[in-house]
Amino acid sequence: MFIGREKELGLLEELHASGTFKYLVLYGRRRVGKTSLLNEFSKKRNVIFYSAQAKNDRLNLSDFSKTLQLHFSGSSYGAFEDWNAAFSYVFDQTSEERVTLIIDEFPYIAEENPSIKSILQHAIDKKWKHKNIFLILCGSSISFMETEVMGAKSPLYGRATSSLELQCFNYIESARFFPNYSIEEKLLCYGILGGVPCYLAAFNDKKTITKNIEKNILRTGSFLKEETQNLLKMELREPRIYNSIFEAIATGASRLNEIAQKIHEEQTKCSKYIRTLKNMRLVDKVTPSGEKDSSKKSIYQISDNFFLFWYHFIFSNKSYYELLGDEEAAQEIFEHLSHYMGSVFENICMQYLTILAKQRKLPFVPHTMGRWWGGNPNTKKEDDIDILAFDVHKQSAIVCECKYRSKLFGIDEYKDFLRSAELFHHIENRYYYLFSKSGFTEAVKANAQREGVTLVALEDLFLVD
């Protein structure tokens, strides 16, 4: 069943309905659902859909030729002499009826034959832009699509009429995969699987989360058991170093020097590998909210929840879990999920605030929003704020604390939070939000109502569109 992507489908349909030449660059990390989106769009359209493969140029040209010929004439009569001839054939066959041509995994072709970008550019400039053609180039290599297809040095630069990086689902969209689960269970699934559609589809909400972990992550032969390793092998030449970086970050190392020390590699080499993971949208560089990207306080975190889960629980415990057995290992993992969910819950709360900001339901539209950490001059110690948002002039701030645990948010914690928030006493307008998985004590509710502090319970997270 196809879930979500209403806006993305709307864009594709709008471009298709234009009746003039359109060229969309669609890209995004592997498994995010690009091909599924294109298949869903193609169900209602007369589309030429070619999915390139990791093989030599002549074989891809042969397959592409066959796809074109079958579409236009119903039979195949051999490969075109070259790509220019193939693209000319598309031009010759296009009349009044709209022709939609999708080339999925375009980097497989362009890496083998870099000249195809110039050939395609020539076809667009000289012929296609005057025809009723809708071209979609799709790829999973984000850096390739951004630099080699859309970059200023690419022959195709400036030809695209639209571009779309397909993103992972947020926590609300991900929850649509699990209508039978409680709110807490939906959030746990998001914490384990992230917003990648095919990962979410692997879980069955008629079984417990523990059973899903056992059957769909730990069991030999299950899709998710080797997914992280398979994806790294598909994309990278030295998975062992990337594995070490993931493990280091997942187990607490966050600064570049800490990661380098933990994996026994030079910082410069480590930085290069992390940059690759950033381009794959698997790792993020994070600076304290309100500070410049060049801040020396910058840290790195795993941005994909499934990778975070896998390296946090499974990578270094693989042999132990095999001895323990899938059932007991799944139970042990489940018992430690609450602690693991702390940072995930902060991210969920940030997504909630982002949705409210788009709906203009916050006191202001944040210019920057994220975690904050640094020295507290009042206590002479390091302090941190779970979420801190500033307006564009830094005259207003939203200060938040997020608690994911099985007890009520108490009055002592409430007072500690307000004391920490005094770090920003110089900000003219301050607004306070508290998020709690298990709710709030009556004392906290009374104080919050009197002092204008917004309390957000778990069910509130799903009361936004």
PDB file of all heavy atoms in Angstrom, residues 41-68:
ATOM      1  N   PHE A  41       2.948   7.562  -9.414  1.00  0.00           N
ATOM      2  CA  PHE A  41       2.613   8.589 -10.410  1.00  0.00           C
ATOM      3  C   PHE A  41       2.338   7.949 -11.776  1.00  0.00           C
ATOM      4  O   PHE A  41       1.414   8.343 -12.493  1.00  0.00           O
ATOM      5  CB  PHE A  41       3.764   9.591 -10.515  1.00  0.00           C
ATOM      6  CG  PHE A  41       3.696  10.487 -11.706  1.00  0.00           C
ATOM      7  CD1 PHE A  41       2.776  11.525 -11.774  1.00  0.00           C
ATOM      8  CD2 PHE A  41       4.560  10.303 -12.787  1.00  0.00           C
ATOM      9  CE1 PHE A  41       2.710  12.348 -12.890  1.00  0.00           C
ATOM     10  CE2 PHE A  41       4.508  11.125 -13.892  1.00  0.00           C
ATOM     11  CZ  PHE A  41       3.575  12.153 -13.950  1.00  0.00           C
ATOM     12  N   SER A  42       3.128   6.949 -12.124  1.00  0.00           N
ATOM     13  CA  SER A  42       3.032   6.329 -13.454  1.00  0.00           C
ATOM     14  C   SER A  42       1.752   5.528 -13.642  1.00  0.00           C
ATOM     15  O   SER A  42       1.339   5.281 -14.785  1.00  0.00           O
ATOM     16  CB  SER A  42       4.244   5.429 -13.701  1.00  0.00           C
ATOM     17  OG  SER A  42       5.438   6.178 -13.653  1.00  0.00           O
ATOM     18  N   LYS A  43       1.109   5.109 -12.525  1.00  0.00           N
ATOM     19  CA  LYS A  43      -0.113   4.317 -12.638  1.00  0.00           C
ATOM     20  C   LYS A  43      -1.197   5.047 -13.430  1.00  0.00           C
ATOM     21  O   LYS A  43      -2.001   4.434 -14.110  1.00  0.00           O
ATOM     22  CB  LYS A  43      -0.654   3.972 -11.247  1.00  0.00           C
ATOM     23  CG  LYS A  43       0.131   2.909 -10.499  1.00  0.00           C
ATOM     24  CD  LYS A  43      -0.481   2.674  -9.134  1.00  0.00           C
ATOM     25  CE  LYS A  43       0.291   1.627  -8.345  1.00  0.00           C
ATOM     26  NZ  LYS A  43      -0.285   1.424  -6.984  1.00  0.00           N
ATOM     27  N   LYS A  44      -1.223   6.349 -13.309  1.00  0.00           N
ATOM     28  CA  LYS A  44      -2.287   7.138 -13.935  1.00  0.00           C
ATOM     29  C   LYS A  44      -1.828   7.812 -15.227  1.00  0.00           C
ATOM     30  O   LYS A  44      -2.553   8.620 -15.799  1.00  0.00           O
ATOM     31  CB  LYS A  44      -2.776   8.213 -12.951  1.00  0.00           C
ATOM     32  CG  LYS A  44      -3.258   7.672 -11.622  1.00  0.00           C
ATOM     33  CD  LYS A  44      -3.617   8.821 -10.682  1.00  0.00           C
ATOM     34  CE  LYS A  44      -4.030   8.310  -9.313  1.00  0.00           C
ATOM     35  NZ  LYS A  44      -4.342   9.443  -8.386  1.00  0.00           N
ATOM     36  N   ARG A  45      -0.621   7.518 -15.672  1.00  0.00           N
ATOM     37  CA  ARG A  45      -0.062   8.243 -16.810  1.00  0.00           C
ATOM     38  C   ARG A  45       0.528   7.269 -17.837  1.00  0.00           C
ATOM     39  O   ARG A  45       0.911   6.143 -17.506  1.00  0.00           O
ATOM     40  CB  ARG A  45       1.053   9.190 -16.330  1.00  0.00           C
ATOM     41  CG  ARG A  45       0.626  10.193 -15.277  1.00  0.00           C
ATOM     42  CD  ARG A  45      -0.199  11.326 -15.890  1.00  0.00           C
ATOM     43  NE  ARG A  45      -0.597  12.308 -14.868  1.00  0.00           N
ATOM     44  CZ  ARG A  45      -1.752  12.296 -14.240  1.00  0.00           C
ATOM     45  NH1 ARG A  45      -2.624  11.345 -14.501  1.00  0.00           N
ATOM     46  NH2 ARG A  45      -2.040  13.217 -13.347  1.00  0.00           N
ATOM     47  N   ASN A  46       0.628   7.738 -19.053  1.00  0.00           N
ATOM     48  CA  ASN A  46       1.312   6.988 -20.097  1.00  0.00           C
ATOM     49  C   ASN A  46       2.794   7.360 -20.036  1.00  0.00           C
ATOM     50  O   ASN A  46       3.223   8.392 -20.554  1.00  0.00           O
ATOM     51  CB  ASN A  46       0.718   7.347 -21.461  1.00  0.00           C
ATOM     52  CG  ASN A  46       1.286   6.488 -22.572  1.00  0.00           C
ATOM     53  OD1 ASN A  46       1.832   5.416 -22.318  1.00  0.00           O
ATOM     54  ND2 ASN A  46       1.171   6.950 -23.796  1.00  0.00           N
ATOM     55  N   VAL A  47       3.571   6.525 -19.376  1.00  0.00           N
ATOM     56  CA  VAL A  47       4.943   6.871 -19.008  1.00  0.00           C
ATOM     57  C   VAL A  47       5.939   5.877 -19.586  1.00  0.00           C
ATOM     58  O   VAL A  47       5.682   4.667 -19.618  1.00  0.00           O
ATOM     59  CB  VAL A  47       5.079   6.907 -17.463  1.00  0.00           C
ATOM     60  CG1 VAL A  47       6.533   7.026 -17.035  1.00  0.00           C
ATOM     61  CG2 VAL A  47       4.273   8.068 -16.890  1.00  0.00           C
ATOM     62  N   ILE A  48       7.074   6.397 -20.035  1.00  0.00           N
ATOM     63  CA  ILE A  48       8.220   5.553 -20.380  1.00  0.00           C
ATOM     64  C   ILE A  48       9.126   5.526 -19.152  1.00  0.00           C
ATOM     65  O   ILE A  48       9.692   6.555 -18.771  1.00  0.00           O
ATOM     66  CB  ILE A  48       9.003   6.112 -21.583  1.00  0.00           C
ATOM     67  CG1 ILE A  48       8.077   6.376 -22.771  1.00  0.00           C
ATOM     68  CG2 ILE A  48      10.132   5.154 -21.974  1.00  0.00           C
ATOM     69  CD1 ILE A  48       8.717   7.224 -23.854  1.00  0.00           C
ATOM     70  N   PHE A  49       9.224   4.383 -18.528  1.00  0.00           N
ATOM     71  CA  PHE A  49       9.972   4.272 -17.268  1.00  0.00           C
ATOM     72  C   PHE A  49      11.174   3.365 -17.505  1.00  0.00           C
ATOM     73  O   PHE A  49      11.025   2.159 -17.709  1.00  0.00           O
ATOM     74  CB  PHE A  49       9.070   3.682 -16.185  1.00  0.00           C
ATOM     75  CG  PHE A  49       9.589   3.869 -14.778  1.00  0.00           C
ATOM     76  CD1 PHE A  49       8.783   4.428 -13.804  1.00  0.00           C
ATOM     77  CD2 PHE A  49      10.867   3.468 -14.417  1.00  0.00           C
ATOM     78  CE1 PHE A  49       9.235   4.602 -12.503  1.00  0.00           C
ATOM     79  CE2 PHE A  49      11.339   3.637 -13.135  1.00  0.00           C
ATOM     80  CZ  PHE A  49      10.508   4.200 -12.170  1.00  0.00           C
ATOM     81  N   TYR A  50      12.369   3.968 -17.477  1.00  0.00           N
ATOM     82  CA  TYR A  50      13.584   3.163 -17.613  1.00  0.00           C
ATOM     83  C   TYR A  50      14.400   3.259 -16.342  1.00  0.00           C
ATOM     84  O   TYR A  50      14.755   4.351 -15.887  1.00  0.00           O
ATOM     85  CB  TYR A  50      14.446   3.617 -18.800  1.00  0.00           C
ATOM     86  CG  TYR A  50      15.746   2.840 -18.872  1.00  0.00           C
ATOM     87  CD1 TYR A  50      15.722   1.481 -19.157  1.00  0.00           C
ATOM     88  CD2 TYR A  50      16.965   3.446 -18.596  1.00  0.00           C
ATOM     89  CE1 TYR A  50      16.890   0.742 -19.183  1.00  0.00           C
ATOM     90  CE2 TYR A  50      18.138   2.707 -18.621  1.00  0.00           C
ATOM     91  CZ  TYR A  50      18.098   1.357 -18.919  1.00  0.00           C
ATOM     92  OH  TYR A  50      19.239   0.619 -18.929  1.00  0.00           O
ATOM     93  N   SER A  51      14.717   2.111 -15.761  1.00  0.00           N
ATOM     94  CA  SER A  51      15.536   2.063 -14.553  1.00  0.00           C
ATOM     95  C   SER A  51      16.925   1.547 -14.922  1.00  0.00           C
ATOM     96  O   SER A  51      17.099   0.380 -15.274  1.00  0.00           O
ATOM     97  CB  SER A  51      14.900   1.139 -13.510  1.00  0.00           C
ATOM     98  OG  SER A  51      15.609   1.195 -12.298  1.00  0.00           O
ATOM     99  N   ALA A  52      17.910   2.442 -14.877  1.00  0.00           N
ATOM    100  CA  ALA A  52      19.281   2.068 -15.227  1.00  0.00           C
ATOM    101  C   ALA A  52      19.852   1.106 -14.192  1.00  0.00           C
ATOM    102  O   ALA A  52      19.405   1.063 -13.046  1.00  0.00           O
ATOM    103  CB  ALA A  52      20.145   3.317 -15.319  1.00  0.00           C
ATOM    104  N   GLN A  53      20.846   0.359 -14.611  1.00  0.00           N
ATOM    105  CA  GLN A  53      21.481  -0.615 -13.731  1.00  0.00           C
ATOM    106  C   GLN A  53      22.991  -0.414 -13.716  1.00  0.00           C
ATOM    107  O   GLN A  53      23.558   0.245 -14.592  1.00  0.00           O
ATOM    108  CB  GLN A  53      21.140  -2.034 -14.181  1.00  0.00           C
ATOM    109  CG  GLN A  53      19.654  -2.346 -14.137  1.00  0.00           C
ATOM    110  CD  GLN A  53      19.359  -3.762 -14.561  1.00  0.00           C
ATOM    111  OE1 GLN A  53      19.878  -4.729 -13.984  1.00  0.00           O
ATOM    112  NE2 GLN A  53      18.522  -3.914 -15.583  1.00  0.00           N
ATOM    113  N   ALA A  54      23.619  -1.007 -12.713  1.00  0.00           N
ATOM    114  CA  ALA A  54      25.074  -0.878 -12.573  1.00  0.00           C
ATOM    115  C   ALA A  54      25.763  -1.836 -13.542  1.00  0.00           C
ATOM    116  O   ALA A  54      26.248  -2.903 -13.148  1.00  0.00           O
ATOM    117  CB  ALA A  54      25.491  -1.159 -11.133  1.00  0.00           C
ATOM    118  N   LYS A  55      25.764  -1.447 -14.809  1.00  0.00           N
ATOM    119  CA  LYS A  55      26.453  -2.241 -15.816  1.00  0.00           C
ATOM    120  C   LYS A  55      27.000  -1.306 -16.889  1.00  0.00           C
ATOM    121  O   LYS A  55      26.820  -0.084 -16.801  1.00  0.00           O
ATOM    122  CB  LYS A  55      25.525  -3.290 -16.418  1.00  0.00           C
ATOM    123  CG  LYS A  55      24.208  -2.786 -16.956  1.00  0.00           C
ATOM    124  CD  LYS A  55      23.337  -3.984 -17.342  1.00  0.00           C
ATOM    125  CE  LYS A  55      21.994  -3.595 -17.882  1.00  0.00           C
ATOM    126  NZ  LYS A  55      21.150  -4.770 -18.184  1.00  0.00           N
ATOM    127  N   ASN A  56      27.671  -1.845 -17.906  1.00  0.00           N
ATOM    128  CA  ASN A  56      28.375  -0.966 -18.833  1.00  0.00           C
ATOM    129  C   ASN A  56      27.416  -0.175 -19.720  1.00  0.00           C
ATOM    130  O   ASN A  56      26.219  -0.469 -19.819  1.00  0.00           O
ATOM    131  CB  ASN A  56      29.413  -1.738 -19.651  1.00  0.00           C
ATOM    132  CG  ASN A  56      28.803  -2.684 -20.663  1.00  0.00           C
ATOM    133  OD1 ASN A  56      27.818  -2.372 -21.316  1.00  0.00           O
ATOM    134  ND2 ASN A  56      29.411  -3.856 -20.803  1.00  0.00           N
ATOM    135  N   ASP A  57      27.989   0.818 -20.402  1.00  0.00           N
ATOM    136  CA  ASP A  57      27.190   1.784 -21.155  1.00  0.00           C
ATOM    137  C   ASP A  57      26.410   1.130 -22.290  1.00  0.00           C
ATOM    138  O   ASP A  57      25.237   1.453 -22.524  1.00  0.00           O
ATOM    139  CB  ASP A  57      28.122   2.866 -21.707  1.00  0.00           C
ATOM    140  CG  ASP A  57      27.367   3.979 -22.403  1.00  0.00           C
ATOM    141  OD1 ASP A  57      26.483   4.570 -21.763  1.00  0.00           O
ATOM    142  OD2 ASP A  57      27.655   4.248 -23.591  1.00  0.00           O
ATOM    143  N   ARG A  58      27.032   0.219 -23.009  1.00  0.00           N
ATOM    144  CA  ARG A  58      26.361  -0.413 -24.144  1.00  0.00           C
ATOM    145  C   ARG A  58      25.138  -1.205 -23.697  1.00  0.00           C
ATOM    146  O   ARG A  58      24.102  -1.206 -24.378  1.00  0.00           O
ATOM    147  CB  ARG A  58      27.332  -1.351 -24.893  1.00  0.00           C
ATOM    148  CG  ARG A  58      28.444  -0.660 -25.645  1.00  0.00           C
ATOM    149  CD  ARG A  58      27.941   0.337 -26.676  1.00  0.00           C
ATOM    150  NE  ARG A  58      27.004  -0.249 -27.638  1.00  0.00           N
ATOM    151  CZ  ARG A  58      26.402   0.437 -28.593  1.00  0.00           C
ATOM    152  NH1 ARG A  58      26.611   1.747 -28.699  1.00  0.00           N
ATOM    153  NH2 ARG A  58      25.571  -0.157 -29.433  1.00  0.00           N
ATOM    154  N   LEU A  59      25.249  -1.873 -22.561  1.00  0.00           N
ATOM    155  CA  LEU A  59      24.118  -2.670 -22.083  1.00  0.00           C
ATOM    156  C   LEU A  59      22.966  -1.775 -21.623  1.00  0.00           C
ATOM    157  O   LEU A  59      21.793  -2.071 -21.875  1.00  0.00           O
ATOM    158  CB  LEU A  59      24.563  -3.594 -20.951  1.00  0.00           C
ATOM    159  CG  LEU A  59      25.488  -4.744 -21.368  1.00  0.00           C
ATOM    160  CD1 LEU A  59      25.946  -5.541 -20.162  1.00  0.00           C
ATOM    161  CD2 LEU A  59      24.806  -5.657 -22.384  1.00  0.00           C
ATOM    162  N   ASN A  60      23.300  -0.651 -20.934  1.00  0.00           N
ATOM    163  CA  ASN A  60      22.237   0.273 -20.549  1.00  0.00           C
ATOM    164  C   ASN A  60      21.583   0.905 -21.773  1.00  0.00           C
ATOM    165  O   ASN A  60      20.364   1.071 -21.823  1.00  0.00           O
ATOM    166  CB  ASN A  60      22.790   1.374 -19.622  1.00  0.00           C
ATOM    167  CG  ASN A  60      22.637   1.025 -18.150  1.00  0.00           C
ATOM    168  OD1 ASN A  60      21.571   0.591 -17.714  1.00  0.00           O
ATOM    169  ND2 ASN A  60      23.701   1.203 -17.373  1.00  0.00           N
ATOM    170  N   LEU A  61      22.390   1.249 -22.788  1.00  0.00           N
ATOM    171  CA  LEU A  61      21.831   1.811 -24.017  1.00  0.00           C
ATOM    172  C   LEU A  61      20.923   0.801 -24.708  1.00  0.00           C
ATOM    173  O   LEU A  61      19.845   1.156 -25.208  1.00  0.00           O
ATOM    174  CB  LEU A  61      22.960   2.233 -24.965  1.00  0.00           C
ATOM    175  CG  LEU A  61      22.523   2.735 -26.354  1.00  0.00           C
ATOM    176  CD1 LEU A  61      21.617   3.954 -26.231  1.00  0.00           C
ATOM    177  CD2 LEU A  61      23.747   3.051 -27.207  1.00  0.00           C
ATOM    178  N   SER A  62      21.328  -0.457 -24.713  1.00  0.00           N
ATOM    179  CA  SER A  62      20.520  -1.511 -25.330  1.00  0.00           C
ATOM    180  C   SER A  62      19.175  -1.648 -24.621  1.00  0.00           C
ATOM    181  O   SER A  62      18.115  -1.729 -25.262  1.00  0.00           O
ATOM    182  CB  SER A  62      21.277  -2.834 -25.297  1.00  0.00           C
ATOM    183  OG  SER A  62      20.491  -3.881 -25.826  1.00  0.00           O
ATOM    184  N   ASP A  63      19.216  -1.659 -23.281  1.00  0.00           N
ATOM    185  CA  ASP A  63      17.975  -1.784 -22.511  1.00  0.00           C
ATOM    186  C   ASP A  63      17.086  -0.555 -22.703  1.00  0.00           C
ATOM    187  O   ASP A  63      15.858  -0.663 -22.803  1.00  0.00           O
ATOM    188  CB  ASP A  63      18.296  -1.959 -21.026  1.00  0.00           C
ATOM    189  CG  ASP A  63      18.935  -3.303 -20.716  1.00  0.00           C
ATOM    190  OD1 ASP A  63      18.889  -4.189 -21.590  1.00  0.00           O
ATOM    191  OD2 ASP A  63      19.488  -3.449 -19.614  1.00  0.00           O
ATOM    192  N   PHE A  64      17.715   0.627 -22.729  1.00  0.00           N
ATOM    193  CA  PHE A  64      16.967   1.872 -22.917  1.00  0.00           C
ATOM    194  C   PHE A  64      16.304   1.886 -24.302  1.00  0.00           C
ATOM    195  O   PHE A  64      15.136   2.272 -24.450  1.00  0.00           O
ATOM    196  CB  PHE A  64      17.909   3.066 -22.761  1.00  0.00           C
ATOM    197  CG  PHE A  64      17.238   4.406 -22.869  1.00  0.00           C
ATOM    198  CD1 PHE A  64      16.343   4.835 -21.897  1.00  0.00           C
ATOM    199  CD2 PHE A  64      17.522   5.265 -23.932  1.00  0.00           C
ATOM    200  CE1 PHE A  64      15.725   6.079 -21.981  1.00  0.00           C
ATOM    201  CE2 PHE A  64      16.919   6.508 -24.032  1.00  0.00           C
ATOM    202  CZ  PHE A  64      16.014   6.921 -23.053  1.00  0.00           C
ATOM    203  N   SER A  65      17.044   1.449 -25.305  1.00  0.00           N
ATOM    204  CA  SER A  65      16.511   1.383 -26.671  1.00  0.00           C
ATOM    205  C   SER A  65      15.281   0.481 -26.721  1.00  0.00           C
ATOM    206  O   SER A  65      14.254   0.825 -27.333  1.00  0.00           O
ATOM    207  CB  SER A  65      17.578   0.857 -27.639  1.00  0.00           C
ATOM    208  OG  SER A  65      18.737   1.669 -27.625  1.00  0.00           O
ATOM    209  N   LYS A  66      15.385  -0.682 -26.094  1.00  0.00           N
ATOM    210  CA  LYS A  66      14.269  -1.634 -26.083  1.00  0.00           C
ATOM    211  C   LYS A  66      13.049  -1.032 -25.399  1.00  0.00           C
ATOM    212  O   LYS A  66      11.911  -1.170 -25.881  1.00  0.00           O
ATOM    213  CB  LYS A  66      14.700  -2.915 -25.376  1.00  0.00           C
ATOM    214  CG  LYS A  66      13.641  -3.996 -25.349  1.00  0.00           C
ATOM    215  CD  LYS A  66      14.161  -5.255 -24.681  1.00  0.00           C
ATOM    216  CE  LYS A  66      13.111  -6.355 -24.665  1.00  0.00           C
ATOM    217  NZ  LYS A  66      13.624  -7.590 -24.003  1.00  0.00           N
ATOM    218  N   THR A  67      13.280  -0.330 -24.288  1.00  0.00           N
ATOM    219  CA  THR A  67      12.177   0.302 -23.559  1.00  0.00           C
ATOM    220  C   THR A  67      11.463   1.332 -24.435  1.00  0.00           C
ATOM    221  O   THR A  67      10.226   1.372 -24.483  1.00  0.00           O
ATOM    222  CB  THR A  67      12.711   0.976 -22.281  1.00  0.00           C
ATOM    223  OG1 THR A  67      13.335  -0.006 -21.443  1.00  0.00           O
ATOM    224  CG2 THR A  67      11.587   1.647 -21.500  1.00  0.00           C
ATOM    225  N   LEU A  68      12.223   2.172 -25.121  1.00  0.00           N
ATOM    226  CA  LEU A  68      11.630   3.188 -25.999  1.00  0.00           C
ATOM    227  C   LEU A  68      10.845   2.548 -27.146  1.00  0.00           C
ATOM    228  O   LEU A  68       9.705   2.940 -27.448  1.00  0.00           O
ATOM    229  CB  LEU A  68      12.725   4.085 -26.586  1.00  0.00           C
ATOM    230  CG  LEU A  68      13.479   5.026 -25.631  1.00  0.00           C
ATOM    231  CD1 LEU A  68      14.519   5.824 -26.412  1.00  0.00           C
ATOM    232  CD2 LEU A  68      12.529   5.970 -24.910  1.00  0.00           C
TER     233      LEU A  68
END
